[in-house]
Amino acid sequence: MPRNETILNVFLASPGDVSEEREALESIVHELNKSWSRTLGVRFELVRWETDVYPGFGDDPQDVINHQIDSEYDVFIGIFWGRIGTKTPRSDSGSLEEFELAYKRLGKANPSLDIMIYFKDAPIPPSRLDPKQLERLQFFKSSLGSLGGLYWDFEDISDFESTLRTHLSAVAQKWSKKDKVDAAEKVEPNIEEAIEEKDSSDDYGFLDYLEKYNSLNNEMCLSLGHITNATIKVSEAFEARTKAIDEITSGGETYEISDAKKIIKLASEDMDRYSKLIDSQIPVFASSKDGALDALSKALMVYRDFNVDSSDLESLNKNINGMREAAIGSKVGLKKFRESVSALPRITNQSNRAKKGVLKSLDKMLSEISSTIQVTQNIVDSITEIREDSKN
């Protein structure tokens, strides 16, 4: 079925020491497009000099890149670790020049442009450490505040992936809401088109509804997979943070409270990122779930009216049971994690706020999953009734 999509160009700028993160970004964009293109009508297109620039001549290599890269991108992502990059005639490095060009576009003329800067906070191998590069990088980092910028630190590739997935999800949702508002303001209702669209859906048959269900069910499972993976990662991070605090406090009264608070701060940030990811996935899960279950219900209505091959009904029954079991498994895992979070003591103001945020997000997600379990059980009961009727 034809559908409209909003294409968001994502420009990536970074020196050469974050190649792993650059590759991860490409995978994340591909992964999110599977969810957001259908659910929100938003698709990301990644723009990088490696894939979008061809050999040419200009004042210098960076000038060639600047002219060939379309400046009308919607999202600018900068990733840095221990290097700032090679100087150009116009800036301290090629990556900084690209940032400066993006920053000039920011403002009233481009209110929808998103500029997201990330810094890797991890040890740098001595053989790759360049004090001058690091000094220039720190100067750039400290200057962002005066420009009104908020940057983000990450510790490793896993942290980067979960953080960026959450942030890009938020961008997709922002554009989806914007598109809906624009459509409501610009497009007048067309009764004839609405009737025609309804009539076309009325022409659906059993296999059409089954195909629609399978597509939406895949999106729902992908969203549930994001949440499950995030829950596993934050649980592992909790264990690591707890172990670190235990090691600090094992010295009795001699330990520094400030050291423990640093670890608690990191744990709180872990929880904040986790709750944001859950919140970003709830509308995706809910939308795909509702659409999938609606398609299933309509498929069963059609099955009652027509003599469809019973093997299709068996396949449907197996599929819906798998969906229900997956929901039950996720509910058990999320409830267990919720109990762990709920049992956390009141330590600091930041950790208490982060704890409340996680519990609130989990309660919303658990409600959606409980609804899924109930509705799928009703559908399983309906399939059982159809089987019994066919025997009589």
Side-chain angles (χ1 to χ4, degrees):
M1 181 182 297
R3 64 179 188 272
N4 295 323
E5 287 185 342
T6 297
I7 305 298
L8 301 181
N9 288 323
V10 180
F11 179 69
L12 172 60
S14 72
D17 60 340
V18 288
S19 57
E20 186 178 14
E21 285 74 18
R22 293 176 68 88
E23 293 177 4
L25 174 58
E26 184 174 9
S27 298
I28 291 169
V29 165
H30 178 71
E31 172 190 310
L32 290 180
N33 281 340
K34 290 182 179 180
S35 297
W36 299 121
S37 62
R38 282 185 174 274
T39 310
L40 298 180
V42 174
R43 175 178 292 276
F44 294 114
E45 292 288 347
L46 187 59
V47 180
R48 303 186 301 172
W49 71 265
E50 301 102 311
T51 55
D52 294 85
V53 173
Y54 53 85
F57 288 86
D59 293 338
D60 52 81
Q62 184 61 47
D63 182 57
V64 175
I65 294 175
N66 293 344
H67 280 88
Q68 290 188 22
I69 294 293
D70 183 7
S71 63
E72 295 304 312
Y73 44 78
D74 306 287
V75 182
F76 176 95
I77 295 179
I79 310 173
F80 300 90
W81 183 15
R83 295 182 56 82
I84 197 67
T86 304
K87 285 188 175 183
T88 73
R90 296 161 298 279
S91 183
D92 209 22
S93 79
S95 297
L96 288 194
E97 183 171 335
E98 290 162 350
F99 163 76
E100 289 159 2
L101 290 172
Y103 186 75
K104 287 179 181 178
R105 289 182 52 216
L106 192 63
K108 294 182 180 179
N110 297 278
S112 58
L113 174 63
D114 288 289
I115 298 180
M116 305 192 297
I117 307 296
Y118 299 85
F119 293 96
K120 186 174 183 177
D121 186 13
I124 303 172
S127 60
R128 300 173 61 181
L129 183 61
D130 186 330
K132 292 183 178 180
Q133 284 276 325
L134 194 58
E135 181 181 359
R136 290 160 59 200
L137 177 62
Q138 290 301 322
F139 178 79
F140 166 63
K141 185 176 182 181
S142 62
S143 70
L144 292 177
S146 62
L147 297 176
L150 174 67
Y151 58 81
W152 209 271
D153 291 324
F154 66 93
E155 296 180 358
D156 52 34
I157 191 64
S158 176
D159 187 16
F160 174 74
E161 289 175 344
S162 61
T163 297
L164 195 63
R165 188 179 289 112
T166 300
H167 293 170
L168 285 178
S169 296
V171 170
Q173 291 183 64
K174 181 191 75 171
W175 277 89
S176 177
K177 292 177 182 177
K178 178 180 179 297
D179 291 342
K180 289 178 181 178
V181 171
D182 291 345
E185 293 177 348
K186 297 178 181 179
V187 180
E188 295 182 1
N190 187 317
I191 303 300
E192 293 182 358
E193 290 182 0
I195 293 174
E196 183 180 350
E197 183 178 349
K198 182 179 183 300
D199 289 342
S200 65
S201 65
D202 287 342
D203 292 335
Y204 274 22
F206 180 82
L207 295 181
D208 297 314
Y209 285 122
L210 200 59
E211 182 181 24
K212 183 177 180 181
Y213 160 75
N214 286 329
S215 175
L216 291 169
N217 183 45
N218 288 336
E219 292 179 9
M220 188 190 75
C221 290
L222 184 62
S223 176
L224 207 56
H226 291 333
I227 294 171
T228 300
N229 291 334
T231 304
I232 293 173
K233 290 179 180 179
V234 77
S235 298
E236 292 173 347
F238 265 24
E239 292 180 7
R241 307 292 189 206
T242 301
K243 183 179 179 181
I245 292 177
D246 288 342
E247 291 176 353
I248 291 174
T249 58
S250 61
E253 298 180 356
T254 60
Y255 73 88
E256 293 288 339
I257 294 179
S258 60
D259 292 337
K261 289 191 71 173
K262 288 179 182 178
I263 298 175
I264 294 169
K265 178 178 181 293
L266 293 174
S268 300
E269 291 172 351
D270 290 338
M271 287 193 288
D272 286 337
R273 284 192 290 268
Y274 176 74
S275 60
K276 287 178 181 178
L277 184 139
I278 297 293
D279 290 340
S280 72
Q281 291 300 319
I282 287 175
V284 182
F285 178 86
S287 176
S288 54
K289 174 208 57 171
D290 292 343
L293 295 179
D294 178 68
L296 269 179
S297 299
K298 291 178 178 177
L300 291 179
M301 291 174 62
V302 172
Y303 188 91
R304 287 179 181 275
D305 295 335
F306 300 94
N307 185 23
V308 183
D309 190 341
S310 60
S311 62
D312 291 323
L313 187 63
E314 292 299 324
S315 175
L316 182 59
N317 186 57
K318 181 178 179 181
N319 207 322
I320 192 64
N321 271 307
M323 179 182 182
R324 184 170 178 273
E325 290 172 5
I328 292 174
S330 295
K331 182 178 180 179
V332 171
L334 290 179
K335 284 190 70 175
K336 184 177 180 181
F337 181 64
R338 190 194 185 284
E339 291 171 359
S340 300
V341 174
S342 181
L344 291 174
R346 295 175 61 86
I347 305 176
T348 67
N349 181 267
Q350 183 183 12
S351 66
N352 293 338
R353 290 200 308 269
K355 172 183 172 180
K356 289 180 181 179
V358 169
L359 293 178
K360 183 178 179 180
S361 299
L362 284 174
D363 286 341
K364 291 179 182 178
M365 191 64 212
L366 285 168
S367 176
E368 289 291 343
I369 293 177
S370 295
S371 171
T372 304
I373 295 171
Q374 181 59 55
V375 176
T376 50
Q377 181 59 57
N378 294 339
I379 293 176
V380 169
D381 293 340
S382 297
I383 293 176
T384 302
E385 291 180 8
I386 294 174
R387 281 172 167 173
E388 294 298 323
D389 290 343
S390 64
K391 292 179 181 179
N392 297 331

